[in-house]
């Protein structure tokens, strides 16, 4: 309906449209899964066969239900509800749990918050029922059986007593057994002796009752991790320009700086939430190689990210709420400034440059070598994203072994070299041809024997004798011989790297 008539169809009225029914296949029969307000007036019910419903009311319009699309819509609504609390959980196929502990005062109280939520949903074209209570079970019952109800502390029993057993979130089979012995309301369950209930119907009956009454703690797991710190700014007039968004980022970063300084921490991952007036939410995340809390640096990272995503961010009618969250933080000790008040930090400048490039082009844009435990040079290092390196590896890559010189450039795959003259049986080459060019060796060092890891080789591999050699023009190379002269197979020579 929202796709056909627009997101605000309910607020504008749906005119003379036909009653709409959604169907799904159950046991090889098309049955009603949901319907709109006009279909409800026709006394149709959930689970009724489509054929029966058409026979009674031929004018109804039937649409196939799309469970995957419904799930995506519910998740998008959960994203939008982050404007009220970061603790949002999905409830089955058509509900949401919002833990608003400590958040209601930001909206003028619980009733004002509930009215704001319902009003916004209505103008987006949703028929929403909500309940607010001290326990998740009581709020669930109030939303699904009591309408927009605010249940005060201690009023849970009065709310639940007249409601059917379904208000306790019991399974249909359990409800049928309870109703067969005359227990048809939640109040009847509360008045019945607990021990016989547990023996005959199991522990879940009294567990659900105790959870709804607040006697047993019920944990609601939020669908997204809760940020350690966040700062937000509701806007009286929606904004949509990137410059305005960057200005808000700088403002929120200054608020976060105070909290980060108090904790002695710096942010490593930050996420920007842009809440659009029509309910859509955009999340933009940036990462830092080193902890930081300076607003200017944070703004520069988001500037690169927003510039890269300029064509992907749809502002629509504007964003009316901006939130900046710290998803990951680390210890950040104070640094001593120079006498002129500046801080010389070459490693920090390199890290900031890498972070800005990663923010604009992605984490794979900058890669650094990481040492790998392997004897073979082509396996001894792997290129990994800059952000995945530990702090000490982002500034310098150590030599693999003290006293063993390695070339500045090591080829990913050794290149075959044709040897025209060499000292046998274990001496260095005297002349060689590589890439169609002949070279004469004037100096050589070696051999350095390196054997491959036997536990990684499928078959027995020959050892390698490495030589550092220099040609007539002073160019230095790193060659190795695989095999020995005089063996059953002739040795082969390969170029592993160059020094300069």
């Amino acid at each position: 309906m929202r796709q056909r008539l627009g997101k605000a169809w309910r607020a504008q009225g749906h005119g003379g449209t036909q009653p709409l029914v959604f169907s799904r296949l159950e046991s090889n029969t098309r049955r009603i899964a949901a319907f709109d307000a006009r279909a409800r007036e026709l006394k149709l019910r959930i689970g009724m066969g489509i054929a029966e419903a058409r026979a009674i009311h031929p004018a109804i319009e039937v649409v196939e239900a799309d469970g995957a699309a419904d799930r995506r819509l519910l998740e998008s609504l959960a994203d939008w509800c982050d404007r009220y609390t970061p603790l949002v959980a999905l409830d089955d196929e058509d509900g949401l749990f919002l833990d608003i502990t400590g958040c209601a005062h930001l909206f003028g109280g619980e009733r004002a918050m509930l009215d704001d939520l319902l009003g916004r949903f209505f103008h987006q074209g949703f028929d929403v029922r909500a309940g607010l209570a001290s326990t998740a079970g009581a709020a669930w019952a109030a939303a699904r059986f009591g309408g927009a109800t605010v249940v005060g502390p201690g009023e849970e029993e009065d709310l639940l007593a007249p409601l059917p057993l379904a208000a306790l979130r019991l399974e249909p089979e359990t409800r049928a057994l309870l109703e067969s012995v005359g227990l048809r309301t939640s109040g009847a369950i509360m008045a019945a002796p607990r021990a016989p209930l547990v023996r005959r119907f199991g522990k879940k009956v009294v567990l659900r009752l105790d959870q709804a009454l607040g006697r047993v703690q019920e944990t609601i797991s939020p669908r997204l991790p809760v940020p350690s710190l966040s700062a937000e700014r509701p806007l009286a007039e929606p904004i949509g320009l990137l410059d305005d968004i960057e200005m808000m980022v700088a403002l929120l970063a200054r608020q976060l700086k105070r909290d980060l300084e108090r904790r002695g921490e710096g942010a490593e991952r930050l996420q920007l939430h842009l809440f659009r007036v029509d309910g859509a939410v955009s999340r933009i995340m940036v990462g830092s190689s080193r902890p930081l809390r300076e607003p200017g640096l944070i703004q520069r990272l988001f500037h690169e990210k927003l510039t890269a995503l300029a064509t992907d961010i749809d502002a629509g009618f504007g964003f009316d709420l901006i939130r900046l969250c710290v998803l990951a933080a680390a210890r950040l000790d104070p640094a001593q400034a120079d006498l002129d008040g500046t801080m010389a930090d070459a490693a920090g400048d390199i890290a900031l440059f890498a972070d800005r490039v990663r923010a604009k082009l992605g984490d794979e844009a900058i890669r650094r070598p990481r040492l790998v435990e392997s004897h073979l040079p082509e396996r001894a290092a792997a290129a990994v994203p800059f952000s995945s390196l530990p702090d000490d590896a982002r500034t310098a890559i150590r030599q693999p072994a003290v006293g063993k010189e390695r070339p500045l450039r090591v080829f990913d795959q050794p290149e075959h070299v044709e040897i025209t003259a060499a000292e046998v049986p274990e001496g260095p080459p005297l002349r060689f041809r590589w890439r169609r060019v002949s070279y004469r060796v004037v100096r050589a060092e070696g051999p350095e024997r390196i054997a491959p890891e036997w536990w990684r080789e499928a078959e027995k591999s020959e050892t390698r004798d490495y030589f550092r050699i220099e040609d007539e023009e002073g160019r230095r190379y790193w060659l190795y011989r695989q095999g020995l002269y005089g063996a059953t197979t002739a040795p082969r020579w390969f170029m592993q790297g160059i020094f300069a």
Side-chain angles (χ1 to χ4, degrees):
M1 185 66 74
R2 299 175 75 239
Q3 292 180 351
R4 187 179 307 175
L5 301 179
K7 294 185 176 181
W9 69 274
R10 186 174 298 279
Q12 299 170 358
H14 54 280
T17 60
Q18 298 174 340
L20 183 62
V21 173
F22 295 90
S23 69
R24 63 184 172 192
L25 186 63
E26 296 181 3
S27 302
N28 295 326
T29 303
R30 291 288 175 184
R31 299 186 179 278
I32 296 178
F35 42 68
D36 66 355
R38 284 183 174 271
R40 184 183 297 113
E41 297 173 356
L42 302 178
K43 306 301 182 183
L44 300 179
R45 64 181 186 278
I46 303 297
M48 175 185 290
I50 295 297
E52 180 183 358
R54 282 189 180 278
I56 300 175
H57 303 285
I60 62 173
E61 181 180 359
V62 180
V63 176
E64 178 68 20
D66 188 345
D70 292 342
R71 184 72 176 187
R72 291 193 299 269
L73 175 62
L74 186 63
E75 291 178 349
S76 67
L77 296 180
D79 290 339
W80 179 81
C81 286
D82 280 349
R83 65 168 52 236
Y84 297 103
T85 172
L87 302 175
V88 181
L90 301 181
D91 175 36
D92 202 12
E93 298 178 352
D94 58 353
L96 297 173
F97 274 118
L98 278 67
D99 187 348
I100 62 170
T101 304
C103 302
H105 70 281
L106 300 175
F107 299 87
E110 294 177 348
R111 171 57 71 178
M113 181 179 185
L114 186 62
D115 293 340
D116 181 77
L117 184 146
L118 294 175
R120 289 177 181 268
F121 270 125
F122 176 82
H123 288 289
Q124 293 181 36
F126 292 102
D127 182 12
V128 177
R129 290 176 291 176
L132 196 153
S134 302
T135 66
W140 190 92
R144 297 181 181 268
F145 296 92
T149 304
V150 177
V151 182
E155 299 178 358
E156 293 83 7
E157 289 191 16
D158 297 336
L159 168 73
L160 294 172
L163 299 181
L165 298 179
L168 295 179
R169 297 177 290 169
L170 298 175
E171 301 295 334
E173 297 80 5
T174 304
R175 298 202 304 266
L177 292 175
L178 290 168
E179 291 173 353
S180 66
V181 297
L183 301 175
R184 301 182 180 279
T185 64
S186 301
I189 299 295
M190 287 186 270
R194 298 172 67 90
L197 283 175
V198 174
R199 286 197 300 267
R200 185 166 182 180
F201 305 104
K203 296 181 180 180
K204 195 166 186 179
V205 176
V206 295
L207 175 63
R208 286 301 194 187
L209 178 61
D210 290 340
Q211 288 176 340
L213 297 178
R215 299 169 184 169
V216 175
Q217 184 70 26
E218 182 177 2
T219 302
I220 302 298
S221 300
R223 56 187 294 267
L224 297 177
V226 180
S228 57
L229 288 173
S230 64
E232 67 178 41
R233 178 63 61 92
L235 304 174
E237 293 292 335
I239 62 175
L241 298 178
L242 293 183
D243 291 342
D244 295 336
I245 296 175
E246 290 183 25
M247 183 182 64
M248 294 304 304
V249 169
L251 179 64
L252 297 176
R254 285 195 288 271
Q255 297 181 24
L256 289 178
K257 181 182 179 181
R258 294 191 294 267
D259 295 329
L260 290 170
E261 287 179 340
R262 186 176 64 254
R263 294 187 176 194
E265 295 178 340
E268 290 187 324
R269 280 192 298 127
L270 299 108
Q271 190 173 57
L272 180 67
H273 297 188
L274 305 174
F275 294 85
R276 216 165 64 183
V277 294
D278 62 352
V281 181
S282 298
R283 286 187 169 89
I284 303 170
M285 186 168 64
V286 298
S288 173
S289 303
R290 296 162 49 133
L292 76 163
R293 55 180 175 233
E294 288 300 322
L297 300 182
I298 296 176
Q299 183 183 16
R300 290 168 71 181
L301 290 182
F302 276 104
H303 169 76
E304 303 294 347
K305 194 71 171 183
L306 290 170
T307 302
L309 299 176
T311 58
D312 298 331
I313 299 177
D314 183 10
F317 292 103
F319 303 106
D320 62 346
L321 178 65
I322 312 292
R323 178 184 297 160
L324 184 61
C325 302
V326 177
L327 299 184
R331 182 71 185 176
L332 179 59
D333 296 322
Q336 179 65 45
D338 294 337
L339 294 177
D340 60 356
T342 62
M343 291 187 178
D345 186 5
D349 294 339
I350 295 175
L352 178 59
F353 168 76
D355 293 338
R356 294 181 63 185
V357 174
R358 289 168 45 229
K360 189 168 187 176
L361 303 179
D363 287 339
E364 299 294 329
I366 295 185
R367 302 174 70 86
R368 291 289 301 270
R370 177 178 60 85
L371 296 180
V372 179
E373 294 183 357
S374 178
H375 298 161
L376 298 183
E378 62 267 24
R379 296 179 183 171
V384 297
F386 189 85
S387 58
S388 64
L389 287 175
D391 291 338
D392 58 347
R394 293 187 185 126
T395 56
I397 301 297
R398 299 183 297 273
Q399 290 289 340
V402 178
K404 294 184 178 181
E405 187 179 4
R406 292 292 184 258
L408 295 177
R409 179 184 178 188
V410 176
F411 300 143
D412 293 336
Q413 293 296 330
E415 299 183 8
H416 184 265
V417 173
E418 180 184 352
I419 300 299
T420 57
E423 297 180 5
V424 294
E426 296 184 357
L430 300 179
R431 291 180 179 274
F432 66 93
R433 183 179 178 83
W434 175 53
R435 295 183 178 178
R436 302 181 181 181
V437 179
S438 297
Y439 301 88
R440 189 172 74 87
V441 178
V442 296
R443 293 183 182 85
E445 294 178 340
E448 176 189 349
R449 181 158 293 183
I450 298 178
E453 301 88 356
W454 59 267
W455 59 90
R456 296 182 59 180
E457 298 293 331
E459 300 178 358
K460 181 176 177 57
S461 300
E462 296 175 303
T463 58
R464 302 178 179 181
D465 287 339
Y466 280 83
F467 296 88
R468 295 186 294 273
I469 64 175
E470 182 178 332
D471 65 6
E472 296 175 310
E473 298 183 8
R475 294 184 291 257
R476 302 176 65 206
Y477 309 92
W478 200 32
L479 278 71
Y480 73 86
R481 181 187 62 240
Q482 186 167 312
L484 296 173
Y485 290 99
T488 55
T489 59
R492 294 176 299 167
W493 289 83
F494 294 90
M495 180 72 69
Q496 184 75 71
I498 54 179
F499 287 91

